[in-house]
Amino acid sequence: MIVAAAAVVVVVAGLAAWLLVGRSASAESRDDKMVAACQQSATARLTSPSSATFGPMEVEPLTAPGEYTHKISSWVESKNGLGATLRSTVACHLRVDPLGNVQVVSNVTSS
């Protein structure tokens, strides 16, 4: 009886691990999620979000332990309150957990 219960626990744990690995995001889709989160965070700070055009987003994994795991840098062009198009730099620090969930820790958008 104890052996059967232990076997069930092992099978259930193996199935749970398989499901988690099978559902984890690939590196490419994880990068897409990070880029989308950074762009959304930066767009929220703009005067005219609908006019935003982003440059290539450079995703940089960080190896030092800390508050965030990745950095994204780029630029964004958007219209200001007077209708003039300005280019600003964008830098996002993000945290990605083992399940592939993305959180923007900080976003700096500067002219």
Side-chain angles (χ1 to χ4, degrees), residues 7-108:
V8 168
V9 169
V10 169
V11 169
V12 169
L15 180 60
W18 177 78
L19 287 172
L20 287 175
V21 170
R23 290 186 181 169
S24 66
S26 69
E28 185 174 315
S29 66
R30 183 189 65 212
D31 285 358
D32 291 344
K33 284 183 184 178
M34 288 190 292
V35 166
C38 181
Q39 287 178 340
Q40 181 179 8
S41 177
T43 301
R45 298 170 174 251
L46 300 174
T47 303
S48 178
S50 63
S51 69
T53 303
F54 287 90
M57 305 293 272
E58 182 181 332
V59 178
E60 178 185 347
L62 303 173
T63 56
E67 191 177 341
Y68 45 86
T69 59
H70 293 79
K71 177 183 176 184
I72 295 180
S73 55
S74 184
W75 53 263
V76 61
E77 289 182 342
S78 66
K79 294 185 186 277
N80 66 9
L82 300 174
T85 300
L86 300 177
R87 180 177 283 197
S88 303
T89 58
V90 175
C92 295
H93 294 122
L94 303 105
R95 181 182 306 121
V96 181
D97 69 19
L99 296 177
N101 299 312
V102 175
Q103 176 188 10
V104 177
V105 177
S106 67
N107 177 314
V108 178

